[in-house]
Amino acid sequence: MQILSPDEWTALLLSLKVSTIAVGASLPLGVWVALVLARSRMPGLWLLNALVHLPLILPPVVTGYALLLTFGRKGLVGAWLDRLFGFTFAFQWTGAALAAAIMSFPLMVRAIRLAIEAVDPKLEQAASTLGAGRLWVFLTVTLPLIAPGIIAGMILAFAKAMGEFGATITFVSNIPGRTQTLPSAIYSFLQVPGAELQAARLAGVSVTVAVGALIASEFVARRVAKRIGGA
């Protein structure tokens, strides 16, 4: 008995691909932004914080439309990318990854920021007084201590990216085999009379993946925290 049809497998695998790339590509920036928000005292920091969390406040369709205006083939950045490199985000799976990364970025940053704020600055200061540079202090002191927070942020971002729909369908449409992710496939089935069973099946797959990701994140975070505590 076949669990999913070939088209449904394609949508699931594309969602996994998009979510993984979205999280991996945005992680370095997420750690840096979280570090700035947690440690910096520069003026205007509230503006950066507002920009980071803006995708959580705006309707996803508005975010998707903004992406279309910016990264579309005739957009501010998209036209330049298309002209120089022949590359475009709009109506491509790469655009779905970009939309997923932007929508999940606030959750990642928030989890990592909370982890950084929980680190005692005196530990970092002690390493600095021993002659360690700022980068070395971060790599050897701060990074190991915030590792559980980074893992939690990555999993939260992954789960959000897997469920992203509004910005994605606005920016890259719903093209089967090309930009149709799991939520888009569920939406398509709901538009077809008598396809409720297929929609429910994909919804069940989506829930299973999300729960599995959360369980995995809890397990890994606990292992990392235990290893740090025993170090």
Side-chain angles (χ1 to χ4, degrees):
M1 179 179 179
Q2 192 173 21
I3 299 176
L4 298 175
S5 69
D7 289 341
E8 292 169 347
W9 274 114
T10 299
L12 173 59
L13 294 176
L14 181 60
S15 287
L16 293 171
K17 177 182 178 180
V18 163
S19 301
T20 302
I21 291 177
V23 173
S26 60
L27 180 60
L29 180 61
V31 173
W32 180 79
V33 170
L35 191 62
V36 170
L37 291 175
R39 290 284 189 260
S40 177
R41 295 296 179 265
M42 65 180 183
L45 202 62
W46 63 270
L47 181 59
L48 175 61
N49 188 50
L51 289 174
V52 168
H53 290 88
L54 198 58
L56 289 180
I57 302 170
L58 290 175
V61 174
V62 174
T63 302
Y65 181 59
L67 286 171
L68 196 58
L69 292 178
T70 305
F71 294 99
R73 194 176 295 274
K74 296 182 180 179
L76 297 174
V77 178
W80 178 76
L81 290 174
D82 185 37
R83 183 172 63 254
L84 294 182
F85 305 104
F87 178 82
T88 181
F89 281 104
F91 308 109
Q92 304 290 338
W93 73 265
T94 50
L98 177 61
I102 290 176
M103 294 300 295
S104 61
F105 192 70
L107 297 177
M108 177 190 293
V109 170
R110 184 165 182 81
I112 299 175
R113 178 184 178 181
L114 291 174
I116 294 173
E117 291 176 343
V119 175
D120 188 351
K122 293 180 180 179
L123 296 175
E124 299 167 320
Q125 293 169 6
S128 297
T129 58
L130 295 175
R134 183 174 299 180
L135 178 59
W136 187 247
V137 170
F138 175 76
L139 292 176
T140 59
V141 178
T142 311
L143 188 59
L145 292 175
I146 66 173
I150 292 177
I151 294 171
M154 290 174 63
I155 299 301
L156 283 174
F158 180 84
K160 173 64 176 176
M162 281 290 296
E164 165 51 31
F165 173 72
T168 300
I169 199 170
T170 304
F171 184 37
V172 300
S173 190
N174 183 14
I175 307 172
R178 185 170 168 183
T179 65
Q180 187 178 73
T181 57
L182 202 57
S184 300
I186 295 173
Y187 174 79
S188 295
F189 280 127
L190 291 176
Q191 307 308 304
V192 179
E196 292 83 3
L197 182 59
Q198 291 92 324
R201 183 170 59 193
L202 287 185
V205 172
S206 181
V207 171
T208 302
V209 171
V211 171
L214 291 174
I215 293 174
S217 71
E218 185 69 19
F219 174 77
V220 174
R222 286 180 180 272
R223 288 290 299 271
V224 172
K226 184 177 180 180
R227 180 172 297 181
I228 292 173

